[in-house]
């Protein structure tokens, strides 16, 4: 059932302009890490003793990051409350960042270059498939060339 602790009720406008209440399962950090392992064979790295919950996902061949998972106060990513929220920062095209960062569930990159990175709030406001598609895009953008 989607009505569990990892679900949330959302008011969504359909293509006819009607508003509907829907239950949406919230994607979790564990979901993203499992997806990265299954699709890219990436294990998370914890690089900072001061922030043991921050997990970097990067390519093995060139060491470039394609995502970083963090837990931060909500007010750091544009929310009113300062409750701790999980986020993922991904690499993104600047034009997409301008468009997405104004939409619910997205924010200008937290603690990263805001021109090339985007923050996704892991609070259920964005569909899982959209998050995975953006993660795929970030992975492809950062593949680059193999470092010798």
């Amino acid at each position: 059932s989607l009505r569990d602790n990892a679900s949330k009720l959302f008011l969504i406008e359909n293509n006819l302009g009607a508003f509907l209440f829907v239950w949406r399962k919230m994607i979790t950090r564990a979901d993203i890490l499992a997806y990265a392992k299954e699709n890219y064979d990436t294990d998370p790295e914890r690089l900072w003793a001061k922030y043991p919950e921050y997990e970097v996902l990067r390519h093995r061949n060139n060491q470039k990051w394609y995502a970083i998972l963090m837990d931060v106060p909500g007010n750091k990513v544009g929310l009113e409350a300062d409750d701790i929220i999980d986020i993922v920062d991904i690499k993104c095209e600047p034009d997409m960042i301008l468009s997405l960062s104004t939409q619910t569930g997205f924010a200008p990159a937290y603690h990263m270059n805001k021109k090339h990175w985007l923050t996704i709030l892991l609070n259920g406001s964005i569909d899982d498939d959209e998050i995975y598609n953006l993660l795929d895009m970030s992975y492809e953008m950062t593949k680059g060339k193999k470092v010798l």
Side-chain angles (χ1 to χ4, degrees):
S1 168
L2 291 180
R3 297 179 81 171
D4 58 22
N5 291 338
S7 298
K8 212 170 191 181
L9 185 64
F10 286 92
L11 180 64
I12 296 178
E13 184 176 10
N14 70 12
N15 60 354
L16 300 175
F19 289 93
L20 309 167
F21 284 100
V22 297
W23 282 99
R24 181 179 287 163
K25 181 182 179 298
M26 292 189 338
I27 191 170
T28 65
R29 291 169 72 121
D31 295 330
I32 291 173
L33 294 174
Y35 183 87
K37 180 66 175 172
E38 181 178 324
N39 291 278
Y40 320 123
D41 195 28
T42 303
D43 291 311
E45 297 178 49
R46 292 189 170 122
L47 303 177
W48 304 279
K50 185 175 178 180
Y51 301 103
E53 298 303 314
Y54 286 19
E55 297 171 297
V56 172
L57 299 175
R58 64 173 150 185
H59 296 271
R60 288 183 188 181
N61 65 337
N62 66 12
Q63 299 300 300
K64 288 186 179 183
W65 296 11
Y66 63 90
I68 178 170
L69 294 127
M70 298 175 273
D71 54 349
V72 300
N75 60 7
K76 300 288 186 185
V77 290
L79 300 176
E80 290 185 21
D82 60 357
D83 296 341
I84 300 299
I85 183 171
D86 284 331
I87 64 170
V88 59
D89 278 1
I90 57 151
K91 187 95 180 226
C92 197
E93 293 290 342
D95 290 343
M96 280 187 81
I97 291 170
L98 287 174
S99 172
L100 291 174
S101 64
T102 63
Q103 296 180 25
T104 301
F106 297 99
Y110 174 75
H111 211 30
M112 300 291 281
N113 181 317
K114 290 172 182 20
K115 183 177 179 184
H116 298 285
W117 288 81
L118 177 71
T119 291
I120 301 171
L121 310 181
L122 301 181
N123 64 355
S125 59
I126 303 171
D127 184 66
D128 294 9
D129 289 337
E130 185 172 3
I131 293 173
Y132 292 136
N133 288 336
L134 289 167
L135 189 64
D136 291 341
M137 183 188 67
S138 182
Y139 181 86
E140 289 300 318
M141 285 180 67
T142 54
K143 257 196 329 197
K145 297 178 182 172
K146 184 175 181 177
V147 175
L148 300 177

